[in-house]
Amino acid sequence: MTNKPEDDKPGFNTALVEELGAILGKLDLSEIEVEQDGIRVRVSRQMATQVSYSPPQSVIAPPPMPVAVAPVAAEAAADHPGTIKSPMVGTAYRRPSPDSKPFVEIGSVVKAGEKIMLVEAMKTFNEIVAPRAGTVTALFVDDGQPVEYGAPLLVIE
């Protein structure tokens, strides 16, 4: 460490502080402290800390509201002759799009072959059609609800 004549002040060497600052930058240190000739010098710098925040990419939707079950209980629906069951594992949709009205409601009169629901599996929407004409007397799923193979979807009497 050099001591220049202009730095000569009683008991203090500013060149030392400059050299310590250079060492901080070179070694990427946040603080350094030395003692020389009974004088202790500590040099520190604030390290810039980057904090990044990413909002969640998707919002978890609340669970669907339960559907009012008509006179036929869900457990008995599997045995009811008018029960339409899910042909696959997937997600049941009662409407063609989120802003559309449902295909059917309890009390809706349907014709044979009429689209009554969609079941989405592996990004493919499969139409569920009425196998016969009749009146929808029970609904067991809500829009966006997961369904298993053979799960009762609705009853047509």
Side-chain angles (χ1 to χ4, degrees), residues 82 105-110 132-138 154-157:
E105 296 282 358
I106 293 178
S108 297
V109 177
V110 296
R132 65 183 166 284
T135 302
V136 176
T137 59
L154 55 90
V155 173
I156 299 176
E157 289 185 0

Side-chain angles (χ1 to χ4, degrees), residues 8-49:
D8 285 337
K9 293 181 183 168
F12 189 74
N13 183 349
T14 57
L16 175 63
V17 175
E18 289 176 8
E19 287 183 42
L20 291 174
I23 292 171
L24 281 177
K26 180 179 177 184
L27 299 178
D28 199 28
L29 299 172
S30 62
E31 186 175 317
I32 191 168
E33 184 174 339
V34 296
E35 186 173 338
Q36 182 180 15
D37 299 327
I39 297 175
R40 181 178 293 176
V41 177
R42 183 171 72 102
V43 179
S44 66
R45 67 179 177 151
Q46 288 186 335
M47 303 291 280
T49 304

Side-chain angles (χ1 to χ4, degrees), residues 11-122:
F12 189 74
N13 183 349
T14 57
L16 175 63
V17 175
E18 289 176 8
E19 287 183 42
L20 291 174
I23 292 171
L24 281 177
K26 180 179 177 184
L27 299 178
D28 199 28
L29 299 172
S30 62
E31 186 175 317
I32 191 168
E33 184 174 339
V34 296
E35 186 173 338
Q36 182 180 15
D37 299 327
I39 297 175
R40 181 178 293 176
V41 177
R42 183 171 72 102
V43 179
S44 66
R45 67 179 177 151
Q46 288 186 335
M47 303 291 280
T49 304
Q50 275 191 334
V51 177
S52 63
Y53 170 75
S54 298
Q57 296 298 317
S58 64
V59 177
I60 298 173
M65 296 296 292
V67 177
V69 178
V72 180
E75 298 83 34
D79 298 329
H80 192 281
T83 300
I84 310 301
K85 298 178 182 178
S86 178
M88 64 196 69
V89 173
T91 304
Y93 292 99
R94 293 186 44 216
R95 53 186 80 229
S97 67
D99 56 345
S100 300
K101 65 179 188 163
F103 291 111
V104 294
E105 296 282 358
I106 293 178
S108 297
V109 177
V110 296
K111 300 175 196 163
E114 183 178 338
K115 188 185 319 180
I116 54 175
M117 200 172 287
L118 297 171
V119 175
E120 183 260 330
M122 297 175 52

